[in-house]
Amino acid sequence: MADTNYISGIVKILENPKQKLVNKTIPVTEFRVQLPQFKNNTIVNLVFWGNLGKDVTNYYKLNDYIIIEGYLSLKNKKTLNLSKRVTITVLKIYPFLLSSSHFGTKG
């Protein structure tokens, strides 16, 4: 079982969201982000369930900064060095700094 904690922070989107279906009915969206507040620029995975994931796919793009709130979980990877995989299940999301492509500018 994984330990969970409530977390909020600003993250930078590093990749385009990937959507999949769980039990053929529930949409789940996942992608990697960077926590720029830390010196080593920690990379974590975000998970969005249901319609929130669809909204994220429609409104946010690569290199956007967003504010998130959700539950942090740490899981052991099945590798030789037993590193931890950090995942945040997001409950709330807010725009922070959006790229110029959101505003219809050319260039």
Side-chain angles (χ1 to χ4, degrees):
M1 182 132 203
D3 295 324
T4 59
N5 293 313
Y6 198 76
I7 186 172
S8 64
I10 298 170
V11 297
K12 178 182 179 183
I13 299 174
L14 296 178
E15 64 185 14
N16 292 320
K18 298 176 188 95
Q19 290 187 331
K20 63 181 179 180
L21 291 176
V22 175
N23 295 332
K24 298 181 183 178
T25 57
I26 304 168
V28 177
T29 304
E30 297 183 41
F31 56 92
R32 291 180 317 129
V33 297
Q34 180 179 24
L35 295 168
Q37 299 93 323
F38 298 104
K39 286 185 180 181
N40 62 357
N41 290 327
T42 305
I43 295 175
V44 299
N45 295 315
L46 295 187
V47 176
F48 299 85
W49 290 86
N51 291 332
L52 184 59
K54 290 180 183 178
D55 290 342
V56 167
T57 303
N58 291 333
Y59 298 119
Y60 302 108
K61 301 188 180 347
L62 187 67
N63 294 324
D64 285 347
Y65 286 85
I66 53 177
I67 301 171
I68 58 161
E69 293 182 35
Y71 286 99
L72 175 74
S73 63
L74 301 173
K75 298 178 182 172
N76 287 329
K77 285 185 181 177
K78 294 184 179 180
T79 61
L80 295 176
N81 62 359
L82 293 175
S83 61
K84 300 240 183 212
R85 178 177 166 206
V86 179
T87 302
I88 300 174
T89 303
V90 179
L91 302 176
K92 296 179 184 178
I93 184 170
Y94 309 96
F96 185 67
L97 292 173
L98 303 179
S99 62
S100 60
S101 64
H102 289 284
F103 305 107
T105 58
K106 295 180 182 176

